[in-house]
Each structure stands twice: as C-alpha cells, then as structure tokens.
Amino acid sequence: MQIAEWIESEILNGHFHSDQKVYSQYQLAEMYTINPATAAKGLNLLVEENILYKKRGLGMFVTGEAREIILNKRKNQTLKHLVQELVLEARRLQISNDDLFAMLREKMAEEGGK
Amino acid sequence: MKVIESKGITKNYFRKQVLKELTFSIEENKITGLIGRNGAGKTTLLKIIAGFIRETSGKMNVFSETPFNSLNVSVNSIFVDDQMSFPPALQLGELLNEAARFYPNWDDQLARKLFNYFSFDAKGYHNRLSKGKTSTFNMIIGLASRCPLTIFDEPTTGMDEAVRKDFYRALLKDYIDYPRTIILSSHHLDEIEDLLEDVLLIHNGMILLHMPVSDLKEWAIGVKGASEDVLDFTKEREVLYKNSVGMNTLYVVVKNDFSEEALNKAHQLGLELTPVRSSDLFVYLTTETKGGIDDVFNNN
C-alpha cells in the first residue's frame, strides 16, 4: 500500500519523530485524491505493525520503536527480496558466484569511494 | 445504516431482461462505483434507485421506502446524468436559484464558485451548452445539492481531461467535508478507482462482484513464464485471461487464492507474478467471447 510506504519513508528520513502526530486519513485523502477509507486502511496497517499508535480522538502518532521496526522490515523483506532477485537473475544469465561477488564488491567499492 | 437495499430486483423491457434478480445493499456515506460495460444495466438500476422507473419484480428500498413516487426519496436524492432536463426558458443563473429553492442542503456559495471557476455565463441557456459543458453544469448541481444520496450516471461524458480531474477532486473534497452516500457509474474503472470505497460490478444485468476496491486489487493475479510451467501452476483454476507472448511464453490471469508457499515456489521456478490492474480485470471478467479483438482480424 503506497500510503503506508510513504509514511514509513517520511519517518525514516526524519520528517516525523516519535510521539509526533502524523496526517489524518482525511488529510491523506485530500493530499492524494483518494478515498478516506483507503487512507485509513494504510494507517491501520501501520498501527498493526506497531509503527503508529492511536490516541482516541486525537489521531495517530509515531511509536518510539517506529524507526527500528521500519528499518528491520525493509532489511528483512525488501532487501532479502532484492537479493533473491539478484541471485535468480544471475542464474538465468549463468553468471558464476565468483563473478557475482566480484560485481557486488566492485559496486560497493564504487559507492564507498564517494 | 443501509441507504439502499435491493432484493431480487428484475427489470424487463419488452422481451429483454435488463436486470436479473439483483440483491445487494449500499451503506451510508460510502462512495460506490457502479461499473459495467455498455448495456450492462447500470442506468436502469440507477433509475430504479432514484425512483424514476419501476422494477418489474423484486423489492427496492431507499431510505427504507420504495423510491417510486416517494417525495422523501425525491428530496433526499439527486440523479445526475447528461440528459437532465431543465426548463428551457430559464437562464443558467436562474437555474441555480431554482435549485437552491428545491434542495434543502443546497450550498449556494459552492455552486456559484464552481460556476465561475468553469467560466459559465449566468445569462446562458442550458440547451445551448456543448456536451462537456452540459455535463459540467449538471455536475455542479449534483455537488451543490449535497443530497444524502447522490447518484452520478456517467458524469464525465464529454468532459475534457482537465475538467474530469477537477471534477474528481471537487467531489472528493466536498465528500470529505460533507460525507454522503455517492454512487458513481462509469466504464472507466482506472479513472475513478482511487475515489471509491466499494465497487459494484455488473454484467448482463447480474452482479459479478461487490467488494471494497482494495480487495478487488488483490482478487486476481497474473502469471507469466514458460508455457508448461504456467499451465502447470494454474491448472484446475478458471482462467480469466490468457495471452501467448512470443514463442513459448504465456501470460495467464487467475483468481488469487494461492497460499504464500505456492507463490514463493512459483517465483523460484522463474514465474513472474504480477498484480492485475482492476480495470484490466474488469475487461477480462466481462469479455463475452473467449479470445479478443485480435481474433476478429484473424482469418485462420
């Protein structure tokens, strides 16, 4: 869900701190021209994952562990998935493990040099 | 609360059955998209809900009463389409005045602001407006009337891209400020799906699906890969769409009720699994003849 991902990114790059209030479903609906129920689903997803918490009548707030949870999730899901893709694609192209490692190392050196 | 309750609604026009035993309900303050191909029965259904025509059999309840000949339904609902008739003797500005007298929740400020934003001439006449302008004017009446039940039947007929976008945004903003039950009929699902909470999909006078948009987006899955792998993975399932790409590659759309494991396994086999856009799914579900437009041109 794009709304949830966007809020996660906003938390990661420091636009929302812990215990800070995030946008309401209506604000999100208005910003993205989407149905408020859809926006609410995105927010509730984050509540389920302990990234946001509800304060009755006040709105949704960022939990203390939000950053950590998002980082872990992205590591375990997104990064793992990308690595899986990388390995699968390497197989398809019949690239040996050594060659793949070499490519990785090269890229890392390049990025590290910056 | 249920604003609309339809039980076994059937409508015959002469010998043709246009609606076949439709049973569904629509909750208060939701935006529902009524989606169907040309001639699916959308307008007939909406007109029965609005009380314009009477069903052949079955029971329709709107605000807990039969809409046909109901003053209560009439004053609490509006049916907007490109055929709305207004007194030809009145100028557009006067039409707004009359609408203000008729609809109890009318927001005159909103009406006048939209009227000016879309550059209407208060001294113009409705029957001299272009197609797109007619739709735009009717839409203004539909929004400003703020009826607890607002029905838009193909509201964007003839509107250009910019006006359509403005309309969708205006509708959403006003809905956020003044929630109400809205039905929006269209055959362009991709254009309106972000606005909707629920989708009611009808085909040949019958209901195919009625569910939240978010569920519809995950309802089907596209599988692409080597033909035999794809066929093996999707065997014993109803194929909604099938397309051969190149020599030995197949793309198949099936209902997504696979387990997480099955999907992972398929992925490792090298099958490409993709979500199916709801507008594509709509076309697949409502295609009459198996095959497609390409087959018409195929002489073999």
Side-chain angles (χ1 to χ4, degrees):
Chain A
M1 182 155 270
Q2 286 129 325
I3 293 292
E5 257 169 48
W6 180 71
I7 292 182
E8 283 178 3
S9 299
E10 290 288 284
I11 294 172
L12 278 189
N13 53 34
H15 288 166
F16 287 120
H17 307 286
S18 51
D19 295 316
Q20 196 182 336
K21 190 177 181 220
V22 297
Y23 301 111
S24 74
Q25 65 178 106
Y26 299 104
Q27 284 170 314
L28 289 169
E30 149 100 60
M31 285 161 78
Y32 284 91
T33 322
I34 54 168
N35 191 291
T38 313
K41 275 181 191 158
L43 290 170
N44 283 326
L45 212 66
L46 296 177
V47 171
E48 274 168 37
E49 293 177 13
N50 242 336
I51 291 166
L52 298 181
Y53 64 95
K54 268 184 214 179
K55 267 196 204 167
R56 258 228 147 136
L58 292 175
M60 306 270 195
F61 296 78
V62 181
T63 62
E65 316 83 70
R67 248 187 99 80
E68 211 178 315
I69 295 173
I70 301 166
L71 282 174
N72 263 325
K73 186 168 84 166
R74 296 226 171 154
K75 248 185 256 164
N76 286 332
Q77 290 173 10
T78 318
L79 198 59
K80 240 188 188 163
H81 182 76
L82 287 172
V83 170
Q84 195 189 12
E85 287 297 308
L86 185 72
V87 173
L88 276 173
E89 183 67 12
R91 291 269 148 77
R92 266 177 233 138
L93 299 176
Q94 298 178 333
I95 289 174
S96 73
N97 285 355
D98 287 342
D99 283 349
L100 187 60
F101 291 149
M103 280 173 84
L104 269 174
R105 259 186 235 110
E106 196 182 320
K107 190 70 200 165
M108 281 168 162
E110 224 174 81
E111 293 291 316
K114 272 181 197 164
Chain B
M1 198 192 91
K2 292 184 172 78
V3 169
I4 299 169
E5 269 192 289
S6 167
K7 285 197 188 119
I9 286 291
T10 297
K11 176 74 186 172
N12 299 337
Y13 279 128
F14 303 101
R15 278 161 56 198
K16 194 169 163 24
Q17 199 169 45
V18 186
L19 298 179
K20 295 166 194 163
E21 304 213 3
L22 298 190
T23 299
F24 65 94
S25 56
I26 287 180
E27 298 277 326
E28 188 180 26
N29 295 347
K30 278 191 177 183
I31 307 183
T32 301
L34 177 62
I35 310 296
R37 301 281 287 265
N38 295 326
K42 302 187 292 288
T43 300
T44 306
L45 176 60
L46 292 176
K47 283 190 170 166
I48 292 175
I49 293 172
F52 286 16
I53 55 173
R54 215 198 284 243
E55 64 279 357
T56 307
S57 64
K59 179 91 190 108
M60 179 64 76
N61 267 335
V62 177
F63 302 117
S64 308
E65 53 185 280
T66 307
F68 194 80
N69 263 343
S70 158
L71 210 54
N72 182 39
V73 171
S74 199
V75 78
N76 283 303
S77 65
I78 187 165
F79 178 90
V80 178
D81 69 355
D82 58 354
Q83 319 260 305
M84 279 173 107
S85 65
F86 294 101
L90 296 185
Q91 296 172 338
L92 295 176
E94 293 170 323
L95 289 178
L96 293 185
N97 298 338
E98 291 310 307
R101 290 199 316 143
F102 190 80
Y103 290 104
N105 300 337
W106 180 263
D107 184 331
D108 206 50
Q109 208 193 3
L110 175 68
R112 305 279 164 185
K113 276 173 142 177
L114 287 170
F115 192 82
N116 291 330
Y117 175 80
F118 290 108
S119 334
F120 279 101
D121 173 13
K123 296 212 173 336
Y125 287 91
H126 191 267
N127 55 10
R128 291 188 201 150
L129 294 173
S130 70
K131 245 190 212 170
K133 278 285 189 181
T134 304
S135 293
T136 310
F137 181 82
N138 297 357
M139 168 272 277
I140 294 174
I141 301 278
L143 283 182
S145 65
R146 294 229 173 100
C147 287
L149 173 59
T150 301
I151 299 171
F152 288 104
D153 187 16
E154 305 274 357
T156 55
T157 311
M159 288 183 187
D160 64 39
E161 178 97 21
V163 175
R164 289 211 302 274
K165 282 203 172 125
D166 280 342
F167 163 60
Y168 295 135
R169 192 145 173 83
L171 175 78
L172 189 79
K173 282 175 89 97
D174 204 55
Y175 167 75
I176 291 173
D177 292 342
Y178 300 91
R180 51 207 193 255
T181 309
I182 297 176
I183 308 179
L184 204 57
S185 92
S186 176
H187 33 238
H188 299 294
L189 182 53
D190 51 348
E191 221 179 75
I192 60 167
E193 66 176 349
D194 286 347
L195 294 178
L196 307 176
E197 182 163 351
D198 285 352
V199 172
L200 179 62
L201 194 61
I202 65 170
H203 185 50
N204 287 341
M206 290 182 287
I207 293 173
L208 277 185
L209 296 169
H210 187 193
M211 56 171 64
V213 188
S214 47
D215 294 356
L216 185 68
K217 285 184 179 164
E218 289 162 12
W219 196 80
I221 188 167
V223 187
K224 192 171 155 189
S227 301
E228 56 270 33
D229 292 342
V230 173
L231 288 174
D232 189 51
F233 183 63
T234 59
K235 69 176 176 219
E236 288 162 24
R237 269 165 220 274
E238 192 194 347
V239 171
L240 304 169
Y241 177 75
K242 193 188 232 175
N243 188 26
S244 321
V245 196
M247 291 293 284
N248 190 35
T249 306
L250 195 62
Y251 174 71
V252 161
V253 174
V254 289
K255 189 166 183 253
N256 184 12
D257 44 14
F258 295 98
S259 65
E260 188 90 4
E261 283 170 270
L263 292 176
N264 274 333
K265 227 171 118 191
H267 187 72
Q268 269 154 15
L269 268 174
L271 293 179
E272 208 180 306
L273 304 169
T274 46
V276 180
R277 283 172 56 205
S278 19
S279 53
D280 288 338
L281 176 62
F282 160 56
V283 174
Y284 303 153
L285 287 173
T286 57
T287 302
E288 286 291 312
T289 44
K290 297 290 171 191
I293 189 73
D294 283 347
D295 295 329
V296 175
F297 293 90
N298 208 336
N299 291 322
N300 302 331

